[in-house]
Amino acid sequence: MSNATIISKTAVELSHSLSEKELSSQEVAQAYLEQIDRVDPQVHAFLHRDDDDFLAQANASDKRRAEGNTLGPLDGIPVAIKDVISVQGQPLTAASKILENYISPYDATVIRKLKDAGAVIGGRLNLDEFAMGSSTENSAYGPTRNPWDFNRVPGGSSGGSSAAVAAREAPLTLGSDTGGSIRQPASLCGVVGVKPTYGMVSRYGLAAFASSLDQIGPFSQTVEDAALLLETISGHDPLDSTSFPTEVPQYSAALRDPLTPCTLGLPKEFFGEGIDDEVRKAIDQTIEFYRSLGHKIVEISLPTTDLAVPVYYVIATAEASSNLARYDGIRYTSRSEQSENAINVYAKSRGEGFGEEVKRRCILGAYGLSSGYYDAYYLKAQKTRTLIREDFSRVFKEVDVILTPTAPTPAFKFGEKSNDPISMYLSDIFTISTNLAGLPALSVPCGFTNSGLPIGMQLIGQAFEESSLLSIAHAYDREHRFGCQSPNI
Amino acid sequence: MSESDPNPMDIDYVSNLARIELTKEEREKFQHQLGDVLQYFEKLKEVDVDGVEPTAHAFPRFNVWDEDQAKEPFSVKQAIQNAPQSRNSQIVVPKVVED
C-alpha cells in the first residue's frame, strides 16, 4: 500500500487494515513520518517529534498483534498531542518560552488511557501560548499555517491539532477547548473536533488555563473516528476532582443504531449580522439536509448570547491569572538571568517568559479579581454565567440539539486580527457559551467556500449526552465526509 | 485602588499584582488595549442579576475525597528535574534573607 493511500485513511479504516494484516503499525508510522517531513516545513503543526520513540511504540504494537494480544481498535494508530498535555519524558512547552526546557515527569490521564489502548503517541502540536488565542499566531515558536491556504491561520488555540489532521500528518490528534479552541480550528481546517461535557474527560496532566472551562477533546477526519477516540479518553478520574462519576457509553456502537427523529434548534441570535454569506449558505444546506431526513427544525432564542464573550473573558482571565501563578521562575520554568532578589525573580522571569497575549490576560484577570473590582467584574460575570446556563436549560426542554455555524467566517489571514484583541475574541462568539454552560459541542465540516476554504457547523448537545450528539452529527457526516477531502499540498 | 475610576486601569499597579514586569512599549500598548476590553465589559453592568446565584462550575461536585492510602510519590530527582537551578537535590533560589 502506498504512503499516500495510508495517510488518506481514517482511523477506523487504518484499524481495519491493521486487523486484516494489510498493514503493519510500522508502515503506518513510517508513512506519517514521511508526510510530516514533506509538508511540515510549510504547515508547522509540530513543535517537537521523537521519531525513535514513535517507531518503537509502533513496533511494540505490531508485536502485540503478532502474539494475539491486541489492545483494541486504537492499537497501532498514531495520535499526536497538543503541546499542553503531559506525556512522560516528552517536552511540554505550551508554546511558551517560559517552559522551553520543561520535560513532563508524568502522563496525563488521557495519555495513560491512550497507552492502555495501544495508541502510538506522536509528536507535540503547536498552539497559541497556554491555549490563549484563536489563530495560533500567539505561539512563541512561530505560527501554524492553514493547510488549505498557507496565507491563512488554522484557527486556535489548537491550530496545530487541526492542521495536522487536515494535512494528513496524523489520523487523530488531541486538543483542548476552553472557549472554542477545538471547534473553531476544526472548522477553519475542515476537520471534526469535539469538546466533551465538562467533567467527562479528566484534566489531570493538562496545563491549566481556565479550570472551570477547560476540556480535552479529539480531532479527526470523521465523526466516527472522533467517537472512537472520545470513548477511549473519557471517564471518571480520581486525580481530577471535577471529573464526573458517570458511565462512558460506547459512542462508536451508538453510531450504528438507527437515529430516531429529533428536534434541532436554530438560535436566532446566532444567525444575525456578521456571518459570512458563504458560511450562511453552507449552514442553510445542512439545515435542509436534516429536514430531508425527517428531523424537526425549530427557531429558538438564547437571549444571553451577546453576554457570553464578556462573561467568558472576565472568568477565563481571572482563572488564568491564578493558574499561571505557578510559572514563577523558581520551580520548573526558565528563570530570568536579570533577577536580583527573591521578589523580582517572579516579575522578571514572567516578563521575559510570557508572550503578549498571556501577559494581557494575566493582568486583566488580576484586575477583575482585585480589591474593589471583584464584585463588579468577577462576581457579576459568575452570576451572568448562571443566566447563560439557564438559557440553555430552558431551550433543551424543547430541542435535542442546537445547530449553529462554528465560526462566523472561514479562516482569516495572518495579522488580520492580531493587533485587535476584541476582534480576535469575537471569532469565538459561537463557541464560548457552551463552555460557560459546560455542554458538549462539536464542529463538523459542512462544505467549502468558492475559494476552497473549509466551513464548519456546530452542534451543541445536552450535558452528558455525547451519544446522541455524535449520532446526529454522524447522520450528516457519513453522507458528506467533507473532512475526508484533503488539501493539495 | 478602589477609589480610582475603573478607566483607565492603573497598569503599573495591576501588573505588579500579577507579578509581570512590562517593558515601556508593552505598558503603553496594554493601557490602550485593556482600556478597550474594559469598555467592552461594560455590557455586563446592564445585566440584572438580583437574586441570581453565581456559577463557579457548570456541574459542581462537593466533598470529593481521596482514598486514604499511601502512594508512591515523585522521586527527588523527578521533582526537581525541571528546576532552573538545583544543587544537592534542592532547588536553588535567589537570596531571601540579607546577611
Side-chain angles (χ1 to χ4, degrees):
Chain A
M1 202 176 293
S2 75
N3 283 350
T5 309
I6 295 172
I7 61 165
S8 72
K9 286 181 180 288
T10 67
V12 167
E13 289 164 355
L14 283 174
S15 183
H16 181 77
S17 294
L18 287 170
S19 63
E20 293 296 310
K21 307 261 169 42
E22 297 163 4
L23 272 177
S24 69
S25 182
Q26 278 288 316
E27 289 170 300
V28 173
Q30 284 291 357
Y32 281 105
L33 288 180
E34 279 182 33
Q35 174 72 352
I36 297 168
D37 281 341
R38 194 175 72 79
V39 301
D40 214 54
Q42 276 100 44
V43 178
H44 192 236
F46 286 82
L47 291 180
H48 177 79
R49 289 161 53 180
D50 185 342
D51 294 356
D52 292 342
D53 176 62
F54 188 64
L55 291 167
Q57 291 178 65
N59 197 23
S61 169
D62 286 335
K63 268 208 183 107
R64 279 193 298 272
R65 196 173 298 277
E67 292 162 1
N69 297 325
T70 297
L71 297 168
L74 278 184
D75 202 335
I77 308 286
V79 184
I81 310 295
K82 185 178 184 179
D83 198 16
V84 77
I85 298 171
S86 307
V87 177
Q88 188 172 5
Q90 296 294 330
L92 184 158
T93 68
S96 181
K97 264 189 355 206
I98 207 160
L99 289 175
E100 201 169 6
N101 301 311
Y102 180 89
I103 304 291
S104 296
Y106 65 95
D107 277 333
T109 296
V110 293
I111 298 301
R112 189 183 47 74
K113 283 172 179 279
L114 285 176
K115 287 181 175 174
D116 289 348
V120 178
I121 311 292
R124 313 289 302 166
L125 297 165
N126 202 9
L127 65 148
D128 287 296
E129 184 178 0
F130 287 108
M132 296 180 187
S134 309
S135 67
T136 318
E137 290 170 289
N138 297 337
S139 167
Y141 305 104
T144 297
R145 295 194 184 89
N146 192 314
W148 293 94
D149 179 347
F150 287 151
N151 296 313
R152 291 174 190 269
V153 303
S157 66
S158 313
S161 304
S162 61
V165 173
R168 303 295 178 253
E169 296 173 283
L172 299 170
T173 62
L174 286 184
S176 62
D177 190 315
T178 306
S181 280
I182 289 175
R183 292 158 286 157
Q184 184 259 18
S187 173
L188 271 47
C189 286
V191 298
V192 174
V194 185
K195 182 206 93 74
T197 307
Y198 184 82
M200 201 64 206
V201 176
S202 169
R203 295 181 295 107
Y204 179 74
L206 168 70
F209 160 14
S211 306
S212 81
L213 305 164
D214 296 340
Q215 275 291 282
I216 295 170
F219 286 89
S220 56
Q221 292 180 40
T222 64
V223 171
E224 207 180 7
D225 279 7
L228 178 61
L229 184 49
L230 186 61
E231 71 194 14
T232 310
I233 61 169
S234 295
H236 178 246
D237 178 14
L239 296 172
D240 171 3
S241 61
T242 62
S243 134
F244 210 80
T246 179
E247 286 298 302
V248 181
Q250 289 302 297
Y251 302 129
S252 334
L255 297 188
R256 292 191 284 271
D257 294 338
L259 187 59
T260 48
C262 52
T263 306
L264 287 84
L266 309 176
K268 63 177 184 196
E269 292 81 4
F270 285 56
F271 287 86
E273 282 168 42
I275 299 184
D276 177 273
D277 286 344
E278 289 183 284
V279 171
R280 177 73 206 233
K281 203 173 139 207
I283 297 297
D284 284 344
Q285 285 167 353
T286 67
I287 295 168
E288 278 319 305
F289 175 79
Y290 278 113
R291 212 192 296 274
S292 75
L293 290 184
H295 301 296
K296 197 172 151 196
I297 311 287
V298 296
E299 188 184 272
I300 54 171
S301 176
L302 293 165
T304 54
T305 297
D306 67 331
L307 299 172
V309 175
V311 166
Y312 173 84
Y313 279 94
V314 172
I315 290 176
T317 58
E319 293 187 16
S321 94
S322 307
N323 271 326
L324 272 63
R326 72 191 63 182
Y327 306 110
D328 55 9
I330 302 287
R331 296 169 298 161
Y332 47 76
T333 65
S334 57
R335 181 181 296 175
S336 168
E337 287 175 9
Q338 312 303 316
S339 60
E340 297 130 7
N341 57 51
I343 300 300
N344 73 17
V345 63
Y346 299 114
K348 284 190 185 292
S349 300
R350 291 156 63 80
E352 289 172 20
F354 288 158
E356 266 197 19
E357 182 63 14
V358 173
K359 290 180 195 176
R360 260 197 300 270
R361 292 202 196 187
C362 286
I363 290 169
L364 193 58
Y367 179 77
L369 290 172
S370 65
S371 171
Y373 297 103
Y374 179 88
D375 286 358
Y377 289 101
Y378 188 62
L379 192 60
K380 185 77 186 259
Q382 283 195 315
K383 288 181 176 177
T384 312
R385 183 176 178 184
T386 304
L387 301 179
I388 293 169
R389 278 176 63 200
E390 287 171 352
D391 250 7
F392 279 106
S393 304
R394 182 180 44 74
V395 159
F396 275 124
K397 289 188 178 123
E398 298 166 46
V399 304
D400 299 296
V401 292
I402 296 170
L403 190 159
T404 79
T406 307
T409 65
F412 45 92
K413 289 193 169 144
F414 287 104
E416 204 175 307
K417 298 177 196 270
S418 47
N419 277 319
D420 180 359
I422 293 174
S423 133
M424 188 69 91
Y425 297 171
L426 288 172
S427 70
D428 291 334
I429 193 160
F430 298 148
T431 51
I432 271 175
S433 50
T434 54
N435 296 76
L436 292 167
L439 303 171
L442 49 78
S443 181
V444 179
C446 67
F448 292 88
T449 64
N450 289 331
S451 58
L453 296 173
I455 300 170
M457 70 152 153
Q458 175 177 236
L459 292 173
I460 305 168
Q462 305 190 46
F464 304 106
E465 293 293 335
E466 273 82 356
S467 274
S468 73
L469 177 67
L470 289 161
S471 297
I472 293 167
H474 180 59
Y476 175 88
D477 192 47
R478 74 169 164 215
E479 298 295 327
H480 296 85
R481 290 169 72 95
F482 284 114
C484 294
Q485 295 191 27
S486 44
N488 190 15
I489 52 174
Chain B
M1 186 67 188
S2 53
E3 336 31 50
S4 61
D5 189 74
N7 284 316
M9 175 194 285
D10 182 346
I11 200 92
D12 291 326
Y13 176 78
V14 189
S15 61
N16 181 48
L17 285 181
R19 294 286 187 273
I20 295 175
E21 189 171 284
L22 299 178
T23 63
K24 186 168 172 286
E25 292 73 34
E26 283 174 332
R27 223 163 30 232
E28 282 165 16
K29 190 173 177 184
F30 290 3
Q31 182 80 64
H32 168 73
Q33 287 174 329
L34 293 176
D36 287 351
V37 174
L38 290 183
Q39 202 66 47
Y40 184 68
F41 287 174
E42 290 293 296
K43 263 190 195 176
L44 292 180
K45 291 241 162 86
E46 300 149 22
V47 188
D48 180 8
V49 291
D50 249 13
V52 177
E53 288 294 315
T55 293
H57 274 91
F59 312 109
R61 299 190 58 218
F62 303 98
N63 297 339
V64 180
W65 304 107
D66 213 356
E67 292 290 319
D68 188 14
Q69 281 171 345
K71 285 176 200 152
E72 190 66 28
F74 279 160
S75 65
V76 172
K77 191 170 169 243
Q78 277 174 311
I80 66 167
Q81 69 176 23
N82 287 301
Q85 273 184 283
S86 63
R87 196 167 56 222
N88 301 335
S89 299
Q90 295 175 67
I91 296 172
V92 176
V93 298
K95 194 189 264 182
V96 179
V97 183
E98 295 299 323
D99 293 325

